[in-house]
Amino acid sequence: MKEFYIYGFKTREEFDEKSARSYDNERRRIESYLGEYVCFRQTQAGKNVYISMDGTENTHNPLYKAFKSKSFTDKDITLHFIILDILADGKYYTLKELLKNIDNDYLYNFQEPMCFDESTLRKKLKEYIQLGIIESKKEGRQVLYKIVEDELDISEYKEAIRFFSEENMLGVVGSYLEDKMEQEKEYLAFKNHYIMNAYDTEIIEKILRGIYERRQLMIANQSRRNKVMSEWKVVPLKLYVSTQGGRNYLICSNMYGKQMSFRIDYIKSVQLGEIIENYDSYLRDYQNRVKHMWGVVCDKGKNYEHIEIDINVEQGEDYIVKRLSREKRCGKIEKIDDNTYRFTADVYDSNEMITWIRTFIGRIKKIKCDNPEVVNQLKFDIVKMAKWYEVM
């Protein structure tokens, strides 16, 4: 689904899996998850299939459905319900007792009953223990199994869970919890609803584990330009979340100390490696560098780009100064005169600041920057805006 949704639906010719039949199977599977959101239009090149949804209208992320699906055989689903039915009384059962109950109470009357051996049942019970559905204990040489009692009342946290499920990078966890509660009339709306982050959940979970456990990560990353795959061994340091564009980035260091950033939606896979003994030294280096990071560029040679902006602040406009203090990610603010405040910073990439600087157009008295592209871009923006409003 990520391949189709993030990079656009592929034609049969572009699909690089096994066969055209695989293409149809994957497309139909996506349609079964997203239903009404899958659209198509006819073009000269053929049928163009795409997904269309209004982020402000869809207050429940529909992409979580992919996590809640599971393929199974007829034996899988039969054994699933039999086990849960036997254990529903809350008592402990041994493996042999479970097998006896299955044969005598559930399969006895069938002309051609399914056969479940001890190995199959043991594997299924082990899987359910890992999922937290079943618990086990040992008595002598015997292992006893019992269904886990769900005594947790999460109703008091429904508002927090509702918000978490749509706004957090691991929101699918909240979505699973919501499934346990009664559905109520929707009471949330989102101005910026970044539903596509759902596809990065498994990648992000491993990255967060790597940071928490201080482990090396092996990541496979796809280039945005030429689609070439590359593999990296990195030390994970921070996960950056953009509140403006919804993109997520991994800030990390390679094993030689060079800091790097990767866009999460271009990371194809992550594997946890060994624990890093000198993790603190990598973290200290990051903490020194973050003083000169505006966005995610964290290593652009040894030279910083110096920038100075003089901003007009009239009497009674203290909120502008407070906003400067609140929004600046690095640098400093000083008062030049009664109506002027100067913001100065030394950053790795001043281009990352352009969007923020634009919000002060109309108040900027003077701007100086080592990177002439920044000043030229702002001048271009002002000229374009003037032409748009027929000022020039």
Side-chain angles (χ1 to χ4, degrees):
M1 287 182 70
K2 179 177 179 180
E3 186 72 20
F4 276 81
Y5 191 72
I6 298 294
Y7 307 114
F9 263 77
K10 301 181 187 303
T11 64
R12 282 182 173 81
E13 292 72 26
E14 294 171 323
F15 193 66
D16 56 5
E17 295 297 328
K18 298 176 183 178
S19 63
R21 180 177 292 180
S22 296
Y23 172 86
D24 288 330
N25 290 339
E26 296 299 337
R27 179 179 55 80
R28 279 193 291 266
R29 185 178 299 179
I30 293 173
E31 288 176 357
S32 72
Y33 296 151
L34 300 180
E36 61 191 289
Y37 306 116
V38 178
C39 309
F40 74 92
R41 58 173 171 259
Q42 204 68 33
T43 65
Q44 291 182 347
K47 187 177 180 181
N48 183 16
V49 185
Y50 61 96
I51 296 174
S52 177
M53 62 183 73
D54 185 346
T56 60
E57 293 293 329
N58 296 290
T59 56
H60 287 265
N61 193 332
L63 307 183
Y64 290 151
K65 293 178 182 178
F67 290 91
K68 299 173 184 178
S69 64
K70 184 175 177 63
S71 60
F72 51 82
T73 65
D74 52 354
K75 278 192 171 184
D76 283 329
I77 197 67
T78 302
L79 188 57
H80 170 80
F81 285 109
I82 289 175
I83 291 173
L84 295 186
D85 194 47
I86 294 173
L87 298 179
D89 60 9
K91 298 179 181 178
Y92 279 101
Y93 288 85
T94 65
L95 187 68
K96 290 184 177 179
E97 287 172 340
L98 288 171
L99 279 172
K100 184 179 179 181
N101 281 7
I102 291 171
D103 292 337
N104 294 343
D105 298 335
Y106 294 88
L107 305 178
Y108 181 78
N109 291 322
F110 288 92
Q111 291 182 353
E112 297 181 1
M114 290 183 180
C115 294
F116 299 105
D117 57 29
E118 191 172 304
S119 175
T120 301
L121 181 57
R122 184 181 286 108
K123 289 177 182 176
K124 181 62 70 175
L125 292 170
K126 183 179 179 181
E127 176 188 349
Y128 285 7
I129 289 171
Q130 291 175 339
L131 291 172
I133 300 172
I134 291 173
E135 62 183 48
S136 65
K137 70 175 183 178
K138 251 192 168 185
E139 286 188 358
R141 294 185 177 182
Q142 289 187 325
V143 180
L144 302 177
Y145 302 92
K146 175 179 175 289
I147 197 164
V148 172
E149 295 180 11
D150 187 3
E151 298 178 349
L152 181 63
D153 182 9
I154 57 176
S155 59
E156 293 183 3
Y157 308 101
K158 62 182 179 181
E159 287 86 3
I161 293 171
R162 176 83 274 272
F163 184 76
F164 176 90
S165 65
E166 302 303 322
E167 287 297 306
N168 194 272
M169 294 175 292
L170 301 179
V172 67
V173 177
S175 182
Y176 273 101
L177 293 175
E178 280 193 292
D179 291 342
K180 296 178 176 290
M181 296 184 284
E182 292 184 10
Q183 296 298 316
E184 297 182 353
K185 186 177 180 180
E186 189 53 79
Y187 51 86
L188 284 182
F190 299 91
K191 181 180 179 182
N192 298 310
H193 196 195
Y194 303 118
I195 60 175
M196 289 184 294
N197 288 338
Y199 291 135
D200 302 324
T201 298
E202 292 170 308
I203 298 293
I204 287 173
E205 187 272 336
K206 287 187 177 179
I207 288 173
L208 291 176
R209 279 183 59 193
I211 294 173
Y212 181 74
E213 298 175 5
R214 300 185 165 205
R215 290 184 178 275
Q216 183 187 91
L217 295 182
M218 281 73 76
I219 64 174
N221 185 69
Q222 178 175 312
S223 170
R224 283 176 282 177
R225 296 180 180 85
N226 54 24
K227 307 302 181 185
V228 173
M229 294 292 296
S230 57
E231 294 185 350
W232 300 82
K233 287 185 178 180
V234 300
V235 180
L237 299 169
K238 288 289 179 179
L239 193 63
Y240 273 39
V241 181
S242 170
T243 56
Q244 294 175 325
R247 289 174 177 166
N248 303 316
Y249 296 84
L250 168 64
I251 305 297
C252 57
S253 173
N254 67 13
M255 305 313 294
Y256 302 101
K258 178 179 173 60
Q259 291 214 347
M260 314 162 73
S261 64
F262 292 93
R263 246 177 74 174
I264 299 296
D265 55 349
Y266 281 91
I267 296 178
K268 292 292 187 178
S269 64
V270 176
Q271 290 183 331
L272 292 167
E274 60 188 19
I275 293 175
I276 302 165
E277 298 296 336
N278 60 333
Y279 185 85
D280 284 336
S281 63
Y282 290 101
L283 196 57
R284 282 194 297 271
D285 184 40
Y286 159 76
Q287 290 166 346
N288 289 329
R289 290 174 182 269
V290 79
K291 299 173 185 176
H292 302 282
M293 289 172 56
W294 189 264
V296 296
V297 176
C298 48
D299 193 340
K300 199 178 180 182
K302 294 182 179 180
N303 297 325
Y304 303 127
E305 295 177 359
H306 183 75
I307 186 168
E308 291 184 8
I309 310 172
D310 287 355
I311 297 174
N312 182 69
V313 180
E314 296 294 336
Q315 188 174 3
E317 292 185 333
D318 292 343
Y319 62 91
I320 297 296
V321 182
K322 290 179 181 178
R323 184 189 156 203
L324 279 167
S325 300
R326 182 177 66 249
E327 294 182 0
K328 73 177 182 65
R329 304 172 188 176
C330 57
K332 63 180 182 178
I333 302 167
E334 57 183 328
K335 189 174 182 178
I336 304 301
D337 57 43
D338 290 343
N339 300 112
T340 307
Y341 283 80
R342 177 172 293 166
F343 168 78
T344 59
D346 295 301
V347 295
Y348 285 109
D349 189 356
S350 53
N351 276 299
E352 293 183 307
M353 302 178 66
I354 289 177
T355 303
W356 181 69
I357 296 171
R358 282 184 183 134
T359 64
F360 292 97
I361 284 179
R363 291 185 175 274
I364 297 175
K365 290 184 173 182
K366 184 175 66 174
I367 182 170
K368 293 195 301 182
C369 184
D370 290 345
N371 185 347
E373 292 180 8
V374 173
V375 178
N376 291 337
Q377 180 63 55
L378 292 169
K379 288 179 179 178
F380 175 79
D381 291 341
I382 293 171
V383 171
K384 188 176 180 180
M385 183 172 58
K387 287 181 178 179
W388 178 265
Y389 289 103
E390 299 181 348
V391 176
M392 299 178 66

